[in-house]
Amino acid sequence: MLSVQATWSRAAARHGLRAAGHKTVRAKSTLSGARFFAPRSAAPWAHRGQHKAPHSVIAEHEKHAARVRLRGRPRLWSPAVHEPLTRVNSLVDNTLSELRSEPPTQLTPELWDVCIDAVIDIHNASSKQLVRPQLVFLGGSWDQPANVGLDLSVLSGESGVPAGLEMFAAGLELQHLFMMVHDDVIDNATRRRGLPPVHLSARVHGREWGVRPLASYHLATIIGDVLYTKAIALMHSGCEEAGSHSALASVLQDGVRTGFGQFVDIVGWTALQSRGFAGGNAMDVVDALLLDKSGRTTMCSPLLAGMQLQGADAESMAVAEEWGCQAGIALQAIDDVADLVVEQGTIGKDSFQDFRDQRLTLLLFLLWDRAGDTDDWSELQALWRGVASTRGGGDTSALLPHERRSIMHMLERHGVIPAAFDFARSRLDRAEAVLDKLPSDKTLCAGLGRFTNGIRSQASALETVIAHEAEEAL
């Protein structure tokens, strides 16, 4: 197999190919999420999925396996969490079903049911990962021996996982649904977990009742607000059951930081650069931005909440937070790469949308770090000015094909994608090193080690997909 650097280079070159005298066909590239031109004279199995070359059969199996790892559920840190995760699912299902069957008033428009049904479908999608509830349960078993703690019944005798932990975990999953609904509105996404997002369902079904298309975004935002309210109620009930409210206070505090991180992300690069990066280099602040944008609320909040609900000591929680920060940064870094290279049908938004809108992704920081004083960066800034001045601020328009090719070439020339994977792995190395501070015979150490390996597997799967797709594009 070719190296990621080599395959990325060749695939990027493909985006600029327009061979004279050749007929061209439209082929989907999961490297860019866009459509690019490929010559019909190329081998048919490289672009059209027909007549697989004999030597490519093994590679096809490898790519399929990588896609399964990339899109499928992560390996559970313990098989024992399967049953409590099922109960968490039921709690979320019941909350959503109540919103649909028992709305606050009898004067309920049918579009309310449509929107809630969209949320239910997204929640029940097979691709959901339930990372947050798993981390809550892991935090809750922090002080159990590793050979016993993986059986979660030790948390509360024969009754299994304490009800407070399950309710809190369900509340965090509802909070995650709320954040996805709002993220889809912000990104104008067309898919969520392979399904129509709430605002799109509202727009399509709202036509028959005369609802304006723009109002669909407002309706989805309101649905998200309702989900957040229900999430807080469930987490509060979990705290009441456990006799401790510190977990909810921490989650809400992290929520404020995440909101700030999302705000800064949307404001974008130009505004941030004008502040001078707090007097330092851009790469000096990238960790904090990635952590605030999503890393903290994904990894730290649920893990520490489970520990707080089960009375963990301050020293253990400090180590767990350190691990969560590094793992959260790595996870967001991998997600930034996936947003560019995974096809739009999977991620639900235009792959070049983050670059168009100057979003503060790791890729943009790395490009600036490696090319900030070159003509490439000047070209990118000119592109931003052109989008803002000629296309209504760039809120709805996609970048043109030649602009996409230009960005692809920039990323290839400066080795940005391999550097992003190196960055993610360095943070995972730090997370792994943190585990040396924990007793190796305790569940917390064993479980966090499995989570770290799971994130590494996600990164490797994404690299494999990139490499195989690049080889197919040759």
Side-chain angles (χ1 to χ4, degrees), residues 8 76 98 132 174 204 229 261 304 338 352 365 392 410 453 465:
W8 179 262
L76 299 179
E98 288 173 3
R132 291 160 182 80
L174 268 176
V204 171
T229 303
L304 297 180
F352 285 86
F365 274 90
M410 289 181 196
N453 291 335
V465 168

Side-chain angles (χ1 to χ4, degrees), residues 4 7 9 22 113-114 121 134 144 177 206 217-218 220 222 232 234 267 282 284-285 312 363 378 381 395 469:
V4 171
T7 53
S9 174
H22 284 95
D113 294 344
V114 169
D121 290 342
Q134 289 195 60
Q144 300 300 326
L177 285 171
Y217 296 101
H218 304 179
I222 292 170
I232 293 176
L234 258 179
V267 168
D284 295 335
V285 301
L363 302 182
S378 298
Q381 289 180 308
D395 292 332
E469 291 295 340

Side-chain angles (χ1 to χ4, degrees), residues 317-336:
M317 288 191 59
V319 175
E321 183 174 14
E322 188 178 353
W323 176 89
C325 288
Q326 298 300 327
I329 292 168
L331 196 62
Q332 180 59 53
I334 295 167
D335 188 61
D336 283 349

Side-chain angles (χ1 to χ4, degrees), residues 176-457:
H176 182 42
L177 285 171
F178 139 73
M179 296 178 73
M180 288 193 294
V181 171
H182 278 201
D183 282 349
D184 290 341
V185 170
I186 293 170
D187 292 335
N188 195 28
T190 57
R191 309 299 286 175
R192 169 61 69 177
R193 293 177 176 171
L195 299 166
V198 176
H199 70 270
L200 191 57
S201 295
R203 184 189 309 172
V204 171
H205 294 277
R207 292 170 183 166
E208 60 183 288
W209 296 294
V211 177
R212 294 176 297 110
L214 182 61
S216 63
Y217 296 101
H218 304 179
L219 296 174
T221 300
I222 292 170
I223 292 294
D225 293 343
V226 171
L227 293 175
Y228 188 51
T229 303
K230 287 292 188 179
I232 293 176
L234 258 179
M235 286 187 279
H236 180 266
S237 297
C239 288
E240 289 284 318
E241 181 74 22
S244 171
H245 290 86
S246 59
L248 179 55
S250 296
V251 167
L252 294 177
Q253 183 177 2
D254 287 344
V256 172
R257 290 191 62 169
T258 300
F260 175 77
Q262 295 283 348
F263 185 94
V264 174
D265 183 43
I266 293 172
V267 168
W269 178 271
T270 300
L272 183 67
Q273 190 177 27
S274 68
R275 298 294 298 270
F277 302 113
N281 185 281
M283 295 305 294
D284 295 335
V285 301
V286 67
D287 283 75
L289 286 169
L290 295 179
L291 183 61
D292 286 346
K293 190 160 65 170
S294 72
R296 180 173 292 276
T297 192
T298 300
M299 306 303 286
C300 292
S301 287
L303 177 63
L304 297 180
M307 296 180 73
Q308 288 171 316
L309 290 170
Q310 290 298 109
D313 61 87
E315 182 178 357
S316 297
M317 288 191 59
V319 175
E321 183 174 14
E322 188 178 353
W323 176 89
C325 288
Q326 298 300 327
I329 292 168
L331 196 62
Q332 180 59 53
I334 295 167
D335 188 61
D336 283 349
V337 177
D339 279 350
L340 177 71
V341 303
V342 178
E343 60 188 0
Q344 183 173 348
T346 299
I347 63 173
K349 67 177 184 180
D350 182 354
S351 300
F352 285 86
Q353 182 172 314
D354 287 343
F355 271 94
R356 180 200 68 189
D357 295 341
Q358 307 183 37
R359 293 291 185 84
L360 303 178
T361 66
L362 174 63
L363 302 182
L364 186 57
F365 274 90
L366 288 171
L367 183 60
W368 184 88
D369 185 57
R370 291 162 171 254
D373 56 353
T374 69
D375 291 341
D376 282 342
W377 188 260
S378 298
E379 181 182 342
L380 182 60
Q381 289 180 308
L383 185 152
W384 288 336
R385 290 192 296 270
V387 167
S389 63
T390 64
R391 299 176 222 169
D395 292 332
T396 58
S397 60
L399 294 181
L400 300 176
H402 73 277
E403 294 168 334
R404 295 166 182 263
R405 288 194 297 269
S406 177
I407 292 175
M408 290 288 289
H409 286 310
M410 289 181 196
L411 297 176
E412 187 276 328
R413 276 194 295 271
H414 301 287
V416 169
I417 298 299
F421 281 115
D422 289 343
F423 177 95
R425 288 197 177 90
S426 70
R427 273 51 184 181
L428 290 174
D429 290 343
R430 295 179 186 179
E432 203 163 38
V434 168
L435 301 184
D436 292 337
K437 301 177 183 179
L438 294 172
S440 60
D441 61 342
K442 296 293 185 180
T443 291
L444 185 61
C445 184
L448 294 182
R450 294 186 184 186
F451 262 102
T452 307
N453 291 335
I455 299 173
R456 286 190 190 277
S457 178

Side-chain angles (χ1 to χ4, degrees), residues 73 85 88-89 123 128-135 173:
R73 295 186 184 183
L85 285 178
V88 166
N89 262 329
H123 168 63
K128 68 181 174 185
Q129 299 184 345
L130 297 174
V131 170
R132 291 160 182 80
Q134 289 195 60
L135 284 168
E173 191 62 21

